Amino acid sequence: MTTSPVIITVAITGAVPKKADSPAVPTQPTEQIESTHEAYEAGASLVHIHVRNKDESSSSDAALFAEVQAGVRKHCPGMIVQFSTGGRGRSQNERASSLVHRPDMASLATGSVNFATQIYENTPQLIDGMATTMRDLGVKPEIEVFDLAMLYNAKALVDRGLVKPPAHVQFVLGIPNALPARRQVLDFLLSELKDIMPDATWTAAGVGRHQLEVNRWCMELGGHVRTGLEDNLRFDKTRLAKSNAELVARVADICGEYGRRPATRSEARQILGLAAAP
Ligand code: ZN
């Protein structure tokens, strides 16, 4: 059992509305900043952000990202800001457009994968381009591993100098058509990670009903955790989560069962090799 601090990531808002998007999901920048602040007070040290752009004619995704980041930096000192660079049919330029605002981190999927009803397409050229942009802007990637090959692709990016080591890797478990949320799968992924990138830090996200179970595996195995309404709208079988903060508090509460505690913002920055808060 480890006593190391746990970085709690809160993924406050998904890319696209879910079937029954809960009113608890923050979609406007002011709501997103408020929800992040509540999650920060509950113990989150990293926020993963998508923006929902209703009117692309008046404001760009990049402008919305900048607005949310500015609010988070003001109200949540030291919290690590991570932008999503997810697809939704956008071009590489559109997906990378927010990076000029230099968040601490950004997501980087290192391969393509089927989701429930679509292909999440990340060509080798796009991955190289996004990794290069992040490297040149000093934005640390969170490598998103949705399928096995993506782990080895990440190692190749490190070897080629496109991702600065130590890498930070997130295993995403429980998305239909991608990796299932099975303990043996995580065990295997971790044994491979430790073999090919022993200095890497890691976390895992369990999607939907798997969220809490995967949180527990991560705490037991010495990893970091991700929670939030992007991945899961339910607190338990009987009710919807009230807020991102409620999901963060649940995870913070059970850290002690594994001899761990939530990382402070400065500890989280140190663990991930990030600069002190801007
Ligand atoms: Zn996301």
Side-chain angles (χ1 to χ4, degrees):
M1 188 179 279
T2 171
T3 54
S4 60
V6 182
I7 300 169
I8 301 177
T9 291
V10 61
I12 54 169
T13 308
V16 286
K18 294 187 174 63
K19 270 178 290 202
D21 216 353
S22 153
V25 177
T27 56
Q28 299 307 303
T30 49
E31 296 169 353
Q32 292 184 299
I33 295 161
E34 178 63 30
S35 184
T36 301
H37 184 243
E38 290 169 10
Y40 172 84
E41 303 227 296
S45 49
L46 193 163
V47 58
H48 170 84
I49 300 167
H50 292 255
V51 294
R52 296 274 182 89
N53 201 348
K54 284 203 187 105
D55 180 10
E56 306 211 2
S57 60
S58 65
S59 57
S60 65
D61 281 9
L64 293 172
F65 272 114
E67 186 179 346
V68 178
Q69 173 168 260
V72 171
R73 286 197 172 151
K74 181 170 174 211
H75 296 287
C76 313
M79 193 174 203
I80 297 165
V81 173
Q82 180 187 95
F83 290 170
S84 170
T85 61
R88 289 182 288 147
R90 298 182 300 158
S91 70
Q92 179 183 326
N93 281 346
E94 288 167 321
R95 290 173 58 180
S97 66
S98 65
L99 298 174
V100 295
H101 297 297
R102 295 177 188 260
D104 299 293
M105 301 182 77
S107 60
L108 177 67
T110 48
S112 300
V113 64
N114 277 352
F115 282 169
T117 58
Q118 59 182 336
I119 300 172
Y120 183 24
E121 190 177 304
N122 295 289
T123 64
Q125 294 81 355
L126 178 138
I127 297 164
D128 278 11
M130 300 271 275
T132 302
T133 303
M134 289 183 203
R135 181 196 63 188
D136 293 350
L137 289 169
V139 176
K140 181 171 176 126
E142 177 179 88
I143 306 283
E144 306 297 337
V145 171
F146 292 94
D147 220 338
L148 182 57
M150 298 186 193
L151 178 58
Y152 309 97
N153 297 345
K155 161 77 168 148
L157 291 172
V158 172
D159 290 344
R160 291 164 57 219
L162 297 183
V163 168
K164 196 176 143 204
H168 180 62
V169 174
Q170 173 160 264
F171 302 109
V172 187
L173 307 177
I175 291 186
N177 296 324
L179 289 170
R182 289 172 57 83
R183 174 62 186 257
Q184 296 94 320
V185 170
L186 182 59
D187 287 343
F188 176 74
L189 290 165
L190 282 179
S191 70
E192 286 295 276
L193 177 71
K194 282 171 185 165
D195 196 37
I196 65 171
M197 290 190 281
D199 60 348
T201 50
W202 68 274
T203 181
V207 174
R209 65 196 161 86
H210 305 290
Q211 184 168 62
L212 185 59
E213 187 180 27
V214 172
N215 289 160
R216 287 183 174 280
W217 294 343
C218 292
M219 284 190 261
E220 178 194 336
L221 295 166
H224 302 287
V225 302
R226 166 163 142 164
T227 189
L229 295 165
E230 169 172 350
D231 300 338
N232 169 42
L233 296 173
R234 303 202 71 85
F235 185 79
D236 59 29
K237 287 193 181 79
T238 60
R239 71 171 174 88
L240 291 171
K242 289 194 188 79
S243 65
N244 280 302
E246 184 178 41
L247 293 171
V248 171
R250 174 174 75 174
V251 174
D253 281 348
I254 58 178
C255 283
E257 292 177 34
Y258 300 89
R260 304 189 67 185
R261 61 177 173 80
T264 65
R265 293 72 183 172
S266 58
E267 284 171 337
R269 285 179 176 274
Q270 208 167 18
I271 291 164
L272 294 173
L274 297 169

